[in-house]
Amino acid sequence: MAAVAAVAIVLAVVLGGKSSKPEATSTQALALQPVNDAGPAPFSPSVAKTAATPTPTPSAPSGSAGVSSGTGTASTVQGSAVGLYGGSEHLSSCDVAQLSAYLTAHPDKGRAWAGVEGIPQSSIPSYLKSLTPVVLRVDTRVTNHGFSNGAATSFQSVLQSGTAVLIDAHGLPKARCACGNPLSPPVQTSTPPSYTGTAWSSYRPSNVVIVEPAVVQITVIVLYDPTHGTWFNRPIGSHGGSDHKVPPPSPTPSTSTSGSRPSTSSSGSSGSSGSSAPSTSASSPSSTPPSTPPSTAPVTPTPTVSSPATEAPSSSSSESAAPLTGAPTNSSSATGPVLLTLTPARNTTP
């Protein structure tokens, strides 16, 4: 009996030690959300002011900072990146006043919405006015939120390029116009995700970006107008009335070392080919455009998607594939706008 008791004590200690270790991370569900898909339990009816149009999804550029996304590699990019976002000059992509009125008229939803954003419910109107309507130019990972049973729900999703969103003064997507949902940064796991929703034909896990907050607050963001093929400045917190054209920005050279992943220029700034350079902060840095354009030949991998969604290609865009100039980079090493060229991926089924 004594021997049995001793064995029981040893087993209890061993099993107890094992149970104290953290369990393996479970598989994360990742919802693929095409441009006009409101998703589950939206906060509000669509407040998008223009019919959103899918745009060609670019491949992740060289010089990007890679982070694991289970299958493939996502790229981090600062919210101040020149050309990360687009829009139509003098036209807001989102009816901010309508969303504000809806959340005010539905206090239960307003309470949950404010809780996700971390603001007092009474501050919703002023907070929304401080956000800037833009359009995503790259497939973007976010934590999305719906409203169910009187509370906010959360789920991980990829928003398709062409989706209208509202961004804050650090360039982070904070709300989605097609559903009124509040947005926050994505949650990363080390295991391959499972996919839900409908994939678009150009979707590749390696082409997805994760937006990180700009090091300094942005005062003006540089946007690309795909309809007219022009660039324009939009002051943060404005909704199109203060837009004005600017010359196309010049690319920032990237540097790399043999056998290592390329990194972006440490200057973290980009110049303009015209007399007025786009500004993203009160003390906007400037740089001299390089005499020769950098080599930005992308490598487009063919990732293997674990449990892919049944793919239903969206209608192709009639817009011309203008040069995309997002800026995947480490936010810790950049202090201003960065410019890199993104090359559109082939529109083929993965």
Side-chain angles (χ1 to χ4, degrees):
M1 292 294 292
V4 171
V7 171
I9 293 173
V10 170
L11 288 175
V13 171
V14 171
L15 294 177
K18 287 184 178 180
S19 63
S20 64
K21 294 180 181 180
E23 296 180 358
T25 304
S26 59
T27 300
Q28 183 183 67
L30 186 60
L32 303 179
Q33 294 191 271
V35 168
N36 295 307
D37 175 25
F43 261 82
S44 76
S46 175
V47 293
K49 295 186 67 175
T50 57
T53 303
T55 58
T57 302
S59 57
S62 58
S64 62
V67 293
S68 174
S69 60
T71 56
T73 301
S75 299
T76 57
V77 53
Q78 277 198 50
S80 59
V82 176
L84 173 63
Y85 300 116
S88 298
E89 189 178 0
H90 300 306
L91 180 64
S92 173
S93 58
C94 187
D95 192 329
V96 176
Q98 182 181 347
L99 179 57
S100 178
Y102 185 87
L103 294 175
T104 300
H106 298 79
D108 54 340
K109 291 186 174 182
R111 188 179 307 108
W113 198 96
V116 173
E117 299 289 359
I119 60 173
Q121 186 173 358
S122 59
S123 299
I124 289 178
S126 58
Y127 178 73
L128 282 172
K129 287 181 180 178
S130 72
L131 302 180
T132 309
V134 298
V135 174
L136 300 178
R137 297 189 67 219
V138 190
D139 295 344
T140 304
R141 274 288 310 270
V142 296
T143 296
N144 207 334
H145 300 82
F147 181 82
S148 180
N149 297 323
T153 61
S154 66
F155 58 99
Q156 299 303 302
S157 71
V158 175
L159 304 181
Q160 185 185 10
S161 171
T163 299
V165 297
L166 297 173
I167 62 171
D168 66 7
H170 287 277
L172 291 178
K174 303 301 292 183
R176 185 167 182 250
C177 304
C179 52
N181 291 356
L183 305 174
S184 57
V187 176
Q188 292 294 308
T189 63
S190 58
T191 58
S194 60
Y195 292 88
T196 63
T198 303
W200 43 97
S201 60
S202 61
Y203 175 72
R204 302 288 185 279
S206 57
N207 294 344
V208 176
V209 301
I210 296 172
V211 181
E212 294 186 338
V215 176
V216 296
Q217 285 195 353
I218 308 167
T219 58
V220 175
I221 189 163
V222 183
L223 305 177
Y224 177 73
D225 187 336
T227 302
H228 302 96
T230 56
W231 295 83
F232 63 95
N233 278 352
R234 175 169 292 176
I236 290 295
S238 67
H239 301 154
S242 302
D243 296 350
H244 65 274
K245 286 185 176 65
V246 294
S250 301
T252 298
S254 61
T255 59
S256 62
T257 57
S258 177
S260 63
R261 184 177 60 234
S263 60
T264 56
S265 170
S266 60
S267 63
S269 61
S270 64
S272 171
S273 60
S275 58
S276 60
S279 170
T280 60
S281 65
S283 57
S284 175
S286 61
S287 63
T288 302
S291 57
T292 58
S295 174
T296 56
V299 177
T300 305
T302 303
T304 300
V305 180
S306 174
S307 303
T310 301
E311 186 166 338
S314 58
S315 58
S316 59
S317 171
S318 60
E319 298 173 354
S320 60
L324 299 179
T325 49
T329 179
N330 277 326
S331 62
S332 60
S333 62
T335 57
V338 185
L339 182 64
L340 286 175
T341 300
L342 302 180
T343 303
R346 294 178 180 176
N347 191 24
T348 57
T349 303

